[in-house]
Each structure stands twice: as C-alpha cells, then as structure tokens.
Amino acid sequence: MIPGPIRDMKYRLPVAVNHGNLSYPYWRSKESIERALSGCALTFVASVGREGSGFVGEIFSANDGLISFHEPRPFCNGRRLIASCINGHASQSLILRVKVSTIAASIVNSGCRHYLESSHMFLKTFGRYLIKEIDVPFNLISLRRPILKTIASFRELAWFGSRYNRAQNWVYKVADGTPLTSRQLRIDNETDQILSYIISEKINELNFVSRASPSRVNYVRLNVPPSKENLLSVSESIGLSGSVRQDLRKANTRQSAKISQVETETLLKETRDYFKKNEEMLRQRSVIFCSEDMQMTIGDEHWGVC
C-alpha cells in the first residue's frame, strides 16, 4: 500500500503534467491491428469511474487464455484529449492509435484468446477511436453500481471539489459540449456536479452503443456488487464459458462503500433535490427519476440510486 502523502502527490502536479499517456510507442498499421484484434475475443468495461471496474478482471481470471488489465498505459486521459474526443475528433489522435496498437501487441505477444480491459477512459476517448477506425467486434460490459455509492466515492476523493484542477484529466464537469449539457441545468453544489457527470457519461454510453451496429458491440450489464447468477450470465454472454471466481466476498466487500447514516440521508436529499429542480430539462433527454423505487432510467435502461 502506497502511503497517503505520497499517493496524494499526483494531485499537486499541474494539470498540464499528464504522465498517464507515457508508454512504449507501439505503432502498427491499421491492417495489422485489425488482424491481431480479430483473432481474439475483446471485452471492455464501460464505467464513469468509481464503479468497481478494477475487480472485473479478477472475477474472470479463472479462464484459461484470458489476459486482463485495469487501466494499462497509455491511459488515454487528459483534459484536451477528452474534449477533443467529445467533439468528434478521436480519429485525429496519435495517442489513441498508439493505444490500439498497444492492445494488438499485448494480444500477439501473449497469444491470448480473450483480452479484457477495464478503464473509465474507454467511453470518453479510445473506445471512440476503436469503434470508428478499427473494424472488429467486441463485448462491452456496463457496470451498474448504486449511484449513491458512486457519488460518495467521488466526494471522498474530492475529484469534483478541491482536487478538480488535477482530476479534470480523468473526469469533466458538464458544459455546453458534453453529452449532458449544462444549458438550463441547475448545479448548486458538489453532488450536483457529480450527478450531472454520471448522467452525462450514462448518456454517452447509450449513445455509443446505439450508434454501433449490433454485430460490432455485444452490450451486457453487470451489477456491482454482483450476484453469482449475474456473473455467470455475463461470463457466458462474453464467451468465457461461465467460469468465474467463487471467492466473491472480497470483491463484493471492497466495492460496498461504507456510508454513514447521516451521509446517506444528506446524499439522498441532495439527489432528490437535483432531480426535482432539473426534472423538465432531464426529461428532454429521456432521463427520469422515480423516487418510489429509487431508480434512474434513461430510455429503456435502469440504474439503482441506492
């Protein structure tokens, strides 16, 4: 475990100092990338961050022929890269081409039959390049963690508070150009900022899937914490023969953030207030909050709030 003061040093670096994209500069032609990727089953994890993506590879690690990575370099993060990809310019990024070249190199070097990567930058950046420039099918696991716990985790890290100056290399505050725009949206506090970002990324996820042909993207849903039945279903859907680790307690416990009763009540109130004051604007984006069963729906998709 890295000591807290050393771990926190990254938040003191200027936002322009972004070491996350430093990596061995693999560079392959589009044809060789597609050849390598098409010979292997691919699975990526869709996440807003703080939803438990780090344990997904561990859960499926019992499968022979699988290699899995959590946020390997290059991270494909950075304020400018995120903004560029959101604005539709992913194809112009050299680092994103290096990213898919690196994935291809990992597959070739390992001889694996299944590649799994979890990173909340997938939907923001390199997934956009993959879907547009590389003609290969892949699985996309959508994580469904209770929104309240995700909010609590973000608040604990202060990514939308005192540490945002650095954290904007990984997350963003909604603006005119983001999937959920800030136009006519009332944002009064940190919880409002986090909720807006979460909803924006969920809209981003559904837009990503809807724009891809069903033959390209196999979209599956994984609850966090997951039940054994849910895990087996997802495993079978992505072609891993239903093999999952049986020692789920550690993974489930790690993802079950302990929130005090006072904090829970505060977050619930702020969440209800957010949806109430922004109800009309959110409804225009097909975002509906049901206070009775504490569910958020976007179109036909559902997320539990608590």
Side-chain angles (χ1 to χ4, degrees):
M1 179 72 70
I2 301 173
I6 297 177
R7 189 175 60 247
D8 291 346
M9 284 181 65
K10 64 182 179 181
Y11 295 113
R12 298 175 186 153
L13 295 173
V15 69
V17 180
N18 181 24
H19 59 83
N21 292 331
L22 297 176
S23 66
Y24 186 86
Y26 286 105
W27 190 259
R28 293 169 176 256
S29 67
K30 178 179 177 180
E31 292 74 18
S32 66
I33 291 172
E34 289 181 343
R35 187 163 54 249
L37 270 56
S38 62
C40 178
L42 303 171
T43 298
F44 298 96
V45 179
S47 166
V48 305
R50 314 311 303 168
E51 288 189 298
S53 60
F55 85 97
V56 175
E58 300 174 26
I59 287 292
F60 297 117
S61 62
N63 289 268
D64 292 333
L66 168 76
I67 59 170
S68 64
F69 300 94
H70 176 57
E71 299 179 353
R73 291 177 181 272
F75 299 159
C76 296
N77 62 4
R79 176 182 55 182
R80 292 181 180 178
L81 182 59
I82 293 172
S84 176
C85 290
I86 286 175
N87 291 323
H89 304 308
S91 299
Q92 301 173 16
S93 171
L94 295 179
I95 190 62
L96 299 186
R97 184 171 174 182
V98 169
K99 175 66 175 181
V100 295
S101 294
T102 303
I103 294 172
S106 296
I107 291 170
V108 171
N109 294 339
S110 68
C112 68
R113 299 191 302 273
H114 201 130
Y115 177 95
L116 187 152
E117 178 171 335
S118 56
S119 170
H120 68 91
M121 301 312 301
F122 179 81
L123 290 174
K124 298 186 191 79
T125 58
F126 67 95
R128 293 169 179 253
Y129 183 93
L130 182 68
I131 199 71
K132 188 172 182 178
E133 298 296 323
I134 308 298
D135 187 18
V136 293
F138 57 88
N139 305 302
L140 184 64
I141 297 177
S142 173
L143 296 186
R144 306 295 172 99
R145 187 188 191 194
I147 291 174
L148 220 63
K149 291 187 176 181
T150 304
I151 294 172
S153 186
F154 275 127
R155 284 175 63 100
E156 182 180 8
L157 290 175
W159 279 11
F160 289 85
S162 60
R163 290 172 169 171
Y164 181 71
N165 184 56
R166 180 67 182 165
Q168 61 186 304
N169 274 332
W170 316 305
V171 295
Y172 59 82
K173 291 182 178 179
V174 293
D176 283 348
T178 52
L180 176 68
T181 67
S182 58
R183 195 177 304 116
Q184 298 179 337
L185 199 64
R186 275 191 58 187
I187 299 176
D188 300 322
N189 53 51
E190 186 179 358
T191 298
D192 289 357
Q193 290 284 5
I194 297 169
L195 261 172
S196 298
Y197 163 74
I198 291 173
I199 295 170
S200 183
E201 278 300 284
K202 297 306 181 185
I203 291 173
N204 183 30
E205 176 181 321
L206 297 181
N207 287 344
F208 181 94
V209 173
S210 67
R211 291 167 184 165
S213 71
S215 62
R216 288 288 307 278
V217 180
N218 176 35
Y219 186 57
V220 295
R221 301 150 189 85
L222 179 64
N223 297 323
V224 179
S227 66
K228 182 179 178 181
E229 292 73 21
N230 183 209
L231 280 170
L232 290 172
S233 175
V234 169
S235 181
E236 183 176 357
S237 179
I238 64 177
L240 289 178
S241 305
S243 297
V244 298
R245 276 176 44 181
Q246 298 303 310
D247 54 331
L248 305 179
R249 182 176 298 177
K250 178 181 177 182
N252 286 353
T253 301
R254 190 174 67 191
Q255 299 309 324
S256 300
K258 290 180 172 59
I259 310 175
S260 69
Q261 184 64 32
V262 173
E263 184 180 8
T264 298
E265 292 175 358
T266 299
L267 291 181
L268 273 173
K269 181 182 183 304
E270 291 178 345
T271 298
R272 291 177 190 273
D273 290 346
Y274 173 87
F275 281 108
K276 183 177 181 180
K277 66 191 176 187
N278 290 302
E279 180 178 6
E280 183 177 347
M281 190 276 181
L282 292 173
R283 190 176 291 274
Q284 294 173 13
R285 300 301 309 273
S286 301
V287 180
I288 298 173
F289 171 66
C290 180
S291 60
E292 294 180 359
D293 57 6
M294 296 303 290
Q295 292 269 329
M296 179 186 77
T297 64
I298 305 178
D300 296 329
E301 297 292 328
H302 305 264
W303 286 267
V305 172
C306 58

